[in-house]
Amino acid sequence: MATMCGIVAAFGGPSAWIDGAPADPGKYERMLARVAHRGPDDTGVQIVGNTWLGHQRLSIMDVSGGRQPLSDAAGTAWIIGNGEIYNHERISKAFPDGTVRTKSDTEAALHAVMWDGQVAVASLNGMFAVAMGREDGTGLVARDPFGVKPLYWIPPADLRDGVDDAVPYTAPDPSSTVLFASELRAFDDADRPYVETFPPGCLWSPASGLVRFADSVPVEVRPARRAIRPGWDEADLSRVREAVISAVRRRMMSDVGVGVFLSGGLDSALVAAIAAQEARARGEQLPTFAVGTEDSGDLIAARKVAAHIGSDHHEILVTAGDISEALDHAVEVIEHYDPALVRSAVPNLILAREAAKKVKVVLTGEGADELFAGYTYVHTEDYADPDTLQAELVRSLEQLHHLNLQRCDRTTMYFGLEAREPFLDSGLVRAALALPPEWKQCPDGRPEKAILREAFDGWLPEDLLWRGKEQFGDGSGAGTVLAALAAEKAAEADVHDVPEHPPHSWALRSDEERLYYAIWQRHFAGIRADEVLGAFATA
């Protein structure tokens, strides 16, 4: 299988290359060095055709044989990848014996494209950002439909500001270089004003330009399905249960240790219960990790879940001092300044630092609230209409790559730890969004995510299965500390000097957000927030 890594790629025109080598290789080497934390195990570089490929490796599967960049037997095509492609074994079986020489899922993707062309990217099931170059100057870059794995680029001038199907593709200036990297911090200061998010579910090649190959939310489940009966039956519960179990099982594949971030809330508790069962079947004990202030709600609940499922449980106790120390750093690490993300990033960072000492892979509960309407705001009058609720769930899923997924990726990868999100499995997304949205509403005091809870009746203690939702920062006990700390820091920094509507951003909503924006600007000056962070003010 692949690796959770950092990648850098550059596709250069003739004037950007001299005698088969890039005119400015130092730029790409600097970029790769800035994402070294994403792959502490190895570094690899390859020049092929007019493409420079750089890879920082965190070894997860085929630890000895999966070094990247990877090539075909003839060395005419090379690929780098960040992420995991869960159906790589099925893909590899379609090739003649000896074609695939490693167990790396990234190599399976290379041969799929070589055999079937760039349409093969649509067959990849997983979370990935890949870049491929060939001796003849062709190649491609692609990102998974949800944008679970990060990717930024400096596109050709004609493609700036995203995909516009109404505008025909125009070949870029042949002298231009198109740059790609896993994180914003990779880009040189002079290049920052041109950096954009590479859109999820898209691929780019010099020949075709930017092409959408998949939507994050499948078209067939975007419209709301009308409920033909007021409630669900056992068959509905079974479909939900099996979809979740299958998603967790797929993400247990690894040649290194796999653990679970266990907050004590429903989503991570269910993931942990399923993963613990899978680990026992292998003769192993699942490691689980929880963080919080002493006697915080999450810590107590996680302890009960761990005892129930028999996991090897690790608690990380944090103090106000720990939280204060990590606050400014969290903004830099997650490359974002949304207050809700920063608050949840602080305990996430502390948790990831300690978990990385024990395992290289962790499962998390991201995506469940978007699939099953777990957030409080969607149970207001504004979303009482089922079609409106369904549209909001779809919208929130499509924005995850700018929000929770960005926070989850950065806080774990900063410590060389891979996070996997079972609830964003394509099969589970289809199953959950195919449910009538009426079933996800809360009439007559029904708790949120009731169908998910009922599907796993008996898997957790009753009080934990039906425990109400708390935001991670609040349940861990960090929320209260952070709110006071942010107010104090904002006053000390005199954040009123920060304009309410900075250039290339949207209006800042509070003193706390101004504080985080000022920190973000110190680290990412020149980056245009409106091009790389999404409109999170409306999220």
Side-chain angles (χ1 to χ4, degrees):
M1 212 165 176
T3 54
M4 197 57 60
C5 309
I7 64 172
V8 171
F11 290 75
S15 65
W17 290 66
I18 302 172
D19 296 328
D24 187 9
K27 176 199 287 280
Y28 314 141
E29 291 163 1
R30 289 193 301 272
M31 292 176 66
L32 189 61
R34 293 184 192 119
V35 294
H37 56 277
R38 295 185 67 89
D41 295 332
D42 197 10
T43 300
V45 170
Q46 182 66 42
I47 297 172
V48 55
N50 62 347
T51 304
W52 190 97
L53 301 173
H55 189 263
Q56 298 283 12
R57 187 184 187 207
L58 172 63
S59 305
I60 303 297
M61 288 197 70
D62 196 4
V63 173
S64 60
R67 188 175 189 270
Q68 296 188 38
L70 284 159
S71 74
D72 65 328
T76 61
W78 292 79
I79 194 170
I80 53 176
N82 170 28
E84 310 288 353
I85 299 168
Y86 298 113
N87 61 339
H88 71 103
E89 291 182 347
R90 181 182 61 77
I91 292 171
S92 295
K93 288 177 181 176
F95 307 130
D97 290 346
T99 302
V100 180
R101 297 173 295 156
T102 72
K103 295 180 181 179
S104 169
D105 57 337
T106 305
E107 189 188 358
L110 172 72
H111 293 294
V113 174
M114 292 183 70
W115 279 72
D116 297 328
Q118 65 185 35
V119 296
V121 173
S123 70
L124 306 180
N125 177 8
M127 52 178 191
F128 57 85
V130 296
M132 173 182 174
R134 305 179 76 163
E135 277 189 344
D136 62 6
T138 62
L140 62 80
V141 176
R143 187 182 185 194
D144 70 80
F146 270 112
V148 176
K149 299 325 298 171
L151 191 63
Y152 300 95
W153 71 327
I154 297 179
D158 59 291
L159 283 183
R160 288 180 186 162
D161 299 319
V163 183
D164 187 346
D165 296 330
V167 178
Y169 173 67
T170 303
D173 177 350
S175 67
S176 67
T177 298
V178 184
L179 289 176
F180 299 84
S182 294
E183 295 187 3
L184 294 173
R185 73 189 73 247
F187 295 91
D188 279 359
D189 289 349
D191 293 327
R192 285 180 167 188
Y194 310 105
V195 177
E196 297 179 12
T197 297
F198 188 83
C202 287
L203 65 83
W204 175 88
S205 74
S208 67
L210 191 61
V211 176
R212 186 172 300 284
F213 68 85
D215 292 310
S216 54
V217 176
V219 172
E220 69 270 21
V221 292
R222 285 172 179 268
R225 170 189 164 193
R226 292 275 65 82
I228 58 176
R229 56 186 185 279
W232 48 84
D233 59 22
E234 183 52 42
D236 299 311
L237 295 174
S238 179
R239 279 191 289 272
V240 170
R241 183 167 54 251
E242 289 307 312
V244 177
I245 290 172
S246 295
V248 174
R249 281 177 177 162
R250 271 189 281 275
R251 283 151 184 81
M252 291 289 286
M253 295 186 299
S254 176
D255 286 341
V256 296
V258 178
V260 174
F261 277 177
L262 180 58
S263 72
L266 175 70
D267 310 327
S268 65
L270 291 179
V271 169
I274 299 165
Q277 187 180 79
E278 291 297 304
R280 277 195 300 273
R282 303 176 186 180
E284 302 169 356
Q285 186 180 24
L286 177 76
T288 52
F289 304 89
V291 64
T293 55
E294 192 169 5
D295 297 326
S296 58
D298 274 0
L299 216 55
I300 293 170
R303 196 177 301 152
K304 291 180 180 178
V305 172
H308 184 79
I309 65 176
S311 66
D312 175 21
H313 192 54
H314 304 270
E315 291 185 352
I316 296 92
L317 288 174
V318 293
T319 65
D322 297 327
I323 294 168
S324 176
E325 185 179 337
L327 180 59
D328 289 7
H329 190 217
V331 175
E332 178 189 3
V333 169
I334 67 172
E335 303 188 327
H336 214 304
Y337 55 87
D338 173 58
L341 288 188
V342 175
R343 290 187 217 113
S344 59
V346 170
N348 257 162
L349 263 175
I350 296 169
L351 185 62
R353 182 185 64 203
E354 298 307 312
K357 298 174 183 176
K358 306 280 186 182
V359 296
K360 283 194 172 184
V361 179
V362 289
L363 309 187
T364 76
E366 263 76 24
D369 288 318
E370 287 76 11
L371 289 178
F372 293 97
Y375 293 118
T376 302
Y377 82 93
V378 297
H379 299 294
T380 61
E381 281 300 315
D382 291 341
Y383 300 97
D385 176 70
D387 291 303
T388 304
L389 174 60
Q390 182 80 352
E392 175 57 16
L393 298 181
V394 169
R395 187 204 68 81
S396 62
L397 282 164
E398 292 175 332
Q399 289 299 310
L400 268 177
H401 69 100
H402 279 136
L403 297 166
N404 291 356
L405 290 178
Q406 180 165 332
R407 182 254 302 146
C408 184
D409 172 83
R410 301 302 197 283
T411 55
T412 52
M413 288 306 302
Y414 188 79
F415 296 105
L417 183 67
E418 169 181 319
R420 299 178 181 175
E421 297 83 6
F423 281 101
L424 294 179
D425 180 83
S426 58
L428 176 51
V429 169
R430 282 186 169 87
L433 289 183
L435 297 171
E438 294 95 326
W439 293 358
K440 300 174 186 178
Q441 294 176 323
C442 298
D444 304 319
R446 183 168 70 192
E448 81 282 352
K449 296 188 285 194
I451 189 170
L452 179 62
R453 298 174 192 272
E454 197 171 324
F456 284 90
D457 185 40
W459 284 68
L460 296 170
E462 197 75 3
D463 61 325
L464 299 177
L465 183 66
W466 295 95
R467 181 189 180 216
K469 178 175 178 58
E470 284 187 274
Q471 295 294 334
F472 181 50
D474 298 329
S476 67
T480 303
V481 176
L482 281 168
L485 184 63
E488 179 184 330
K489 282 180 172 284
E492 291 174 354
D494 192 13
V495 295
H496 295 289
D497 290 342
V498 177
E500 289 189 8
H501 200 146
H504 305 298
S505 181
W506 37 88
L508 302 176
R509 300 163 292 180
S510 65
D511 285 352
E512 183 182 5
E513 189 165 67
R514 291 187 186 94
L515 168 67
Y516 300 150
Y517 177 81
I519 298 169
W520 187 84
Q521 273 288 296
R522 287 203 299 272
H523 294 288
F524 303 104
I527 296 286
R528 296 171 299 164
D530 55 346
E531 293 291 351
V532 299
L533 299 184
F536 65 84
T538 61

